[in-house]
Amino acid sequence: MRCFLVVALVTGLSACSMTPELERPAPPVPVSFPEAAALQGAAVPASEMGWRTMFADPQLQRLIELALAHNRDLRLAALNVDAARAMFNIQQSTRLPSVSLDASRTRERALAQGNSGESRREVSNQVAVNVGVSAFELDLFGRVRSLSDAALARYLASEQGRDAAQISLIGAVADAYFARQLADEQRQLAQRTLKDWQQSLKLARLLQDAKQNSGLDVAQAEGQVASAEADLQARQRAYVQAGNALQLLVGEALPADLPAARELARQPLVARLPAGLQSDMLLVRPDIRQAEQTLSAANADIGAARAAFFPQVSLTASFGYASTSLGSLFDPSRQVWRFTPQLSQPLFQAGRLRAELRLAKVRKSEAVAQYERAIQTAFREVADALAGAATLDSQIEAQTRVVASAQRRVALSGLRYQAGVDGRLELLDAQRGLYAAQHSLLELRCDAAVNSVALYKALGGGLRERTIITAANDPAANADHREQ
């Protein structure tokens, strides 16, 4: 019996596989990124740059900490990993025999036929102890192994999905934080502008009292103030809504003791990332690795579907003792055993097996398309972020000059209006132009911060908490890893 179990185990573990060889498709994107010069300046790849290094704002760091601990989407992703691991362990267990110990005692009273033909009632006892293997499949054609390989690939895919969810969460928290900061600074700008325009209205009324202007100037100033009041309420609403979005990502109420936020113009973001990037570096991204593992699982399913056409051999065996009394149960003469091999060869399945094989091949084709689409999406994300990095700094510099010019125009228009050279309409137009230019500058600064986050996330950053400096990326570093 022991020899049989050993032979069965070895046979099952040495099964052949009918899974086709998996060839990873070539990335369907250009070899290099456009605007790659925008990445020059950093020594550490983005995928190895810790988010604390990327986001040095203390308040943003605290919010990311809270989100990683309390965000429900990330928690669901982690639970999906646990579920996939359990499914893999279940499938993996089918590659080994399942051994069980059964013990029973039966006491029965039944009618028995005597030698003379009369019926009488008899009481019988039966005690049994058995160790057995039930329906263990000898994996001669690799069906069980292919199913196990598919479960392993799906488990690994779920782990990569969890990492991708973490990167997305960190990027989303940073984006929401900058959106709230933009709304706050726009609200403050609206408050300052309203105060300035209220002073202009007061001046217009004084000039009307002095018979130096008409009621039209006062009406224009009153409309300007009312417009600023309405805009202030809109900015206040945007600020509250941005805070609600940030709170949802964090997963709990925002603490009252958060560090002070930094202005958009003073955000210490790492805007320069490694140069000389090739498109194949996208393969380190967790979402692409997840798609690759999904492709591996679909390929293994083809092997299982192919093996289903061949015979399935299963073994059921037991060895134990049976006796009418417990005292003599383990007597050598009471030994019993049973050995039941079973062979099953599909003959007629109404096309089910062929349909399952076709379905597995279609699923693999879908997985290939999803893998290629993931690479294309990643390439576009990096390319878009590179385009932003190449142009946003110059645009902000130009918009800063626009604001300075608008400020000079407002100052000159105010002097000319007070001197009676220009009408109220010229001053009103100058003030509105300055307000719009200042809003545009704030939005551009927010866009620059969000673009840096997008580039960092697109290059696979966000898994590490701190940057690990090694001799490979820092010539001055020691051979041993150290945290900065």
Side-chain angles (χ1 to χ4, degrees), residues 138-198:
L138 297 181
D139 196 20
L140 301 178
F141 301 98
R143 188 186 73 88
V144 178
R145 178 181 177 183
S146 296
L147 292 175
S148 179
D149 291 343
L152 174 60
R154 291 188 174 93
Y155 163 55
L156 297 177
S158 69
E159 284 193 327
Q160 297 297 333
R162 191 267 176 200
D163 291 343
Q166 176 177 322
I167 291 177
S168 297
L169 174 62
I170 291 176
V173 171
D175 290 344
Y177 174 76
F178 293 134
R180 189 187 65 163
Q181 189 61 27
L182 172 63
D184 186 32
E185 294 187 26
Q186 287 181 331
R187 180 184 61 171
Q188 296 176 21
L189 174 61
Q191 290 173 340
R192 295 193 301 268
T193 301
L194 175 60
K195 185 179 297 185
D196 293 340
W197 289 1
Q198 287 173 341

Side-chain angles (χ1 to χ4, degrees), residues 5 25 290 315 413:
L5 292 177
Q290 181 183 14
L315 301 178
S413 296

Side-chain angles (χ1 to χ4, degrees), residues 24 29 33 45-48 156-157 159-168 277-294 370-386 453-463:
R24 186 172 64 185
V29 293
F33 294 103
S47 59
E48 299 180 8
L156 297 177
E159 284 193 327
Q160 297 297 333
R162 191 267 176 200
D163 291 343
Q166 176 177 322
I167 291 177
S168 297
L277 291 179
Q278 300 297 317
S279 59
D280 58 359
M281 61 82 57
L282 294 175
L283 301 180
V284 304
R285 286 181 32 147
D287 57 339
I288 295 179
R289 289 182 174 179
Q290 181 183 14
E292 184 177 353
Q293 292 297 338
T294 301
Q370 291 171 354
Y371 175 73
E372 293 176 339
R373 184 181 62 181
I375 294 178
Q376 291 174 335
T377 300
F379 184 89
R380 180 193 171 180
E381 290 175 354
V382 175
D384 287 348
L386 287 175
V453 175
L455 182 57
Y456 175 66
K457 183 174 65 173
L459 293 175
L463 286 179

Side-chain angles (χ1 to χ4, degrees), residues 51-62:
W51 56 261
R52 288 188 183 275
T53 302
M54 179 66 186
F55 308 116
D57 187 327
Q59 183 174 131
L60 179 54
Q61 288 184 352
R62 178 73 185 285

